[in-house]
Amino acid sequence: MKSFKGILFIIIIMCSSAFLWYFAKPIAPIHVLNKLSHMIAGLAITGFFLVFLLSTRIKIIERWFHGLEHVYVYHKYLAILSLVFAILHGQLQKMVPNWDKVQKTPFTELAKNFGEIAQYGFIALILIALFAKFLKYEHWRIIHRLLLIPYAFGLYHVYFSSRYDLLQPTPLGIFTASTATIGFMSALYMLTMYQDMRFKHTGKITGIRKIAPSAVELQLTLDNKLPYRHGQFIFLKIFQEGLEEAPHPFSITAGDGQKIVVTIKALGDFTKKVNTMIQLNTPIAIEGPYGYLNFEAGQQQQLWIAGGVGITPFLSYLTSAPSTQNIELFYSYRGQDDTIHTEFLQDYAKNNEHFKVNLIDTTQMDRLCFADYSVPAHTSIFMCGPEKMVKRYAKQFKSHNRDVDLNYEAFKFR
């Protein structure tokens, strides 16, 4: 997966911040330790600007990182890195000689207090977010939105406790004002406007089909056609009493754009309720599509690997038209309750000489391992499933061939 543009974007922004702080002229001469502390504070506030920008799901950013799940990876580690910078800044500032003797004003005293509030706020919220598996999805989203509060306190601290005049139109002043404004507006957009502005495709549920004890297929009929590519996913909001309205990501299993099908497996509180409570004619709204599993752009020889409900993007492609590419699918699942459409896959393999399927029930068989698997030349590999599974197989494939054509999406958006 290629994320070079996205990585380069992060490097350029962070290096620009360090460069501008290093060469900026302070209001009055300051100790070298104070200069270093200011530069690290600048990196912290710039890092949080990137954190908020990456959370907006802007299409061009998704393209730069080659997939939304990769955006979230850098979003997470940038938040941790920025927090480390903020803590380091606080510790360094205490070591600056005669720092307490600097002339104080009501603004600087308030800024100092706001800096401490911002630091503790970031620590608390980021630590809670890192333990997202213990939270309901809606609570996790609220905690992410609350990061705007310590960010606002942090910006006040940077502007009014700095030994640099950031209100002047210097290169550092312009850079700080630009990133602060974009970062703050990005966070405010996700907090107040995202839900209304981005979910433009509306419709209702016109079909419900139970396909497994813990999985249901929903047919969504949209008011306007949704252009999408097989293998992509959407964020879906369901407006039914008893179900949270927060958007959740689901792969498109089938459809023509006017009608689309999603498969929802009972994996958490929300999906369990959908599986038991969902009703016909329930209003819905969609945002997307997202995803970079492009089977049509792959090589003639393809290797597919799916885990559990990760089979859905592959089903979208197979149900669209008979495949002329040579495909071998490994479908791993844990027991019959975890499997989806195995009969369809077996029938498809019988009727299409270009397609081969391997069903792996891990309750009866050993887990898949590709450590010794030899990938034929000119083969594209596509994977979809739980994050741990996808990362494990990606590592195994790359250990044999660094240039392998590897395309994947993992189930983790927290």
Side-chain angles (χ1 to χ4, degrees):
M1 306 298 289
K2 303 296 187 294
S3 302
F4 297 137
K5 288 183 180 179
I7 296 170
L8 184 61
F9 172 68
I10 291 173
I11 291 172
I12 290 173
I13 294 295
M14 295 298 282
C15 288
S16 297
S17 176
F19 178 87
L20 290 171
W21 279 97
Y22 182 80
F23 287 103
K25 186 178 180 180
I27 298 170
I30 59 175
H31 192 275
V32 64
L33 201 58
N34 199 356
K35 188 176 183 70
L36 178 62
S37 176
H38 276 74
M39 186 170 72
I40 290 175
L43 287 172
I45 211 70
T46 302
F48 281 119
F49 144 69
L50 289 170
V51 167
F52 289 119
L53 181 63
L54 295 188
S55 72
T56 57
R57 298 175 185 163
I58 296 173
K59 290 289 186 179
I60 189 171
I61 291 179
E62 186 207 9
R63 289 197 296 271
W64 286 351
F65 287 92
H66 207 78
L68 206 55
E69 76 281 3
H70 297 102
V71 175
Y72 288 154
V73 169
Y74 290 99
H75 167 88
K76 172 183 174 181
Y77 287 112
L78 272 170
I80 296 171
L81 179 63
S82 301
L83 178 59
V84 170
F85 281 141
I87 295 172
L88 184 58
H89 160 70
Q91 296 304 309
L92 282 173
Q93 201 62 48
K94 294 175 183 178
M95 299 166 59
V96 175
N98 301 318
W99 170 247
D100 291 335
K101 295 182 180 180
V102 175
Q103 185 178 2
K104 297 177 182 179
T105 68
F107 283 116
T108 58
E109 279 297 290
L110 186 60
K112 180 183 176 182
N113 295 331
F114 276 9
E116 292 180 357
I117 293 172
Q119 180 174 302
Y120 292 131
F122 279 130
I123 291 173
L125 293 174
I126 290 174
L127 284 178
I128 293 171
L130 289 175
F131 292 95
K133 64 181 179 180
F134 301 111
L135 300 172
K136 290 185 177 181
Y137 182 71
E138 180 63 17
H139 295 162
W140 174 80
R141 290 178 65 254
I142 292 172
I143 288 169
H144 265 59
R145 303 300 182 259
L146 289 176
L147 284 170
L148 176 62
I149 297 172
Y151 183 63
F153 281 115
L155 288 176
Y156 186 96
H157 170 75
V158 167
Y159 270 93
F160 292 101
S161 70
S162 174
R163 301 302 297 157
Y164 297 80
D165 191 350
L166 299 176
L167 297 176
Q168 294 299 314
T170 61
L172 177 61
I174 294 170
F175 177 85
T176 304
S178 300
T179 55
T181 301
I182 295 172
F184 190 85
M185 293 305 296
S186 295
L188 196 62
Y189 162 74
M190 292 302 293
L191 183 66
T192 62
M193 294 178 281
Y194 165 73
Q195 301 281 354
D196 296 325
M197 292 179 62
R198 294 290 287 274
F199 286 81
K200 296 179 180 179
H201 289 277
T202 58
K204 60 183 178 179
I205 297 172
T206 54
I208 302 172
R209 186 163 74 101
K210 197 75 173 176
I211 58 172
S214 61
V216 65
E217 245 182 24
L218 304 182
Q219 182 190 72
L220 314 176
T221 300
L222 305 178
D223 299 328
N224 298 299
K225 193 170 184 178
L226 175 74
Y228 75 94
R229 187 180 62 247
H230 300 297
Q232 292 189 300
F233 64 91
I234 56 170
F235 283 89
L236 172 66
K237 294 173 67 174
I238 300 176
F239 304 103
Q240 179 179 311
E241 187 176 352
L243 297 176
E244 65 179 40
E245 292 184 8
H248 291 257
F250 298 105
S251 294
I252 299 172
T253 308
D256 59 9
Q258 195 72 52
K259 294 179 184 291
I260 64 173
V261 176
V262 295
T263 302
I264 300 178
K265 193 171 188 305
L267 298 173
D269 292 335
F270 174 76
T271 51
K272 287 176 182 177
K273 286 184 179 180
V274 170
N275 268 262
T276 57
M277 297 174 55
I278 197 66
Q279 298 173 5
L280 283 171
N281 298 315
T282 296
I284 57 93
I286 284 173
E287 197 255 319
Y290 294 97
Y292 276 81
L293 291 181
N294 191 348
F295 308 116
E296 290 92 340
Q299 302 278 357
Q300 177 65 23
Q301 191 76 23
Q302 296 188 9
L303 176 65
W304 291 0
I305 302 166
V309 75
I311 192 64
T312 50
F314 301 109
L315 290 172
S316 175
Y317 181 67
L318 294 177
T319 56
S320 64
S323 173
T324 57
Q325 293 161 311
N326 297 318
I327 300 168
E328 182 171 12
L329 166 66
F330 289 88
Y331 180 24
S332 176
Y333 51 89
R334 186 172 178 79
Q336 291 303 311
D337 288 351
D338 191 44
T339 184
I340 299 171
H341 291 309
T342 51
E343 290 184 3
F344 167 80
L345 294 171
Q346 289 172 319
D347 289 341
Y348 194 97
K350 288 179 183 177
N351 298 319
N352 192 322
E353 61 181 357
H354 300 287
F355 181 75
K356 179 182 178 181
V357 61
N358 304 280
L359 303 178
I360 299 93
D361 183 349
T362 57
T363 63
Q364 308 291 331
M365 306 163 65
D366 292 335
R367 279 185 177 185
L368 276 171
C369 180
F370 294 95
D372 299 318
Y373 188 90
S374 179
V375 180
H378 308 295
T379 298
S380 294
I381 301 173
F382 293 92
M383 299 190 293
C384 187
E387 184 185 40
K388 288 184 179 179
M389 180 201 85
V390 168
K391 286 188 173 181
R392 182 171 65 250
Y393 296 153
K395 185 177 180 180
Q396 291 173 359
F397 285 122
K398 288 178 181 178
S399 66
H400 289 283
N401 184 358
R402 283 187 165 275
D403 298 324
V404 65
D405 181 16
L406 195 57
N407 309 269
Y408 62 83
E409 280 175 1
F411 295 153
K412 189 172 182 181
F413 288 90
R414 300 195 190 191

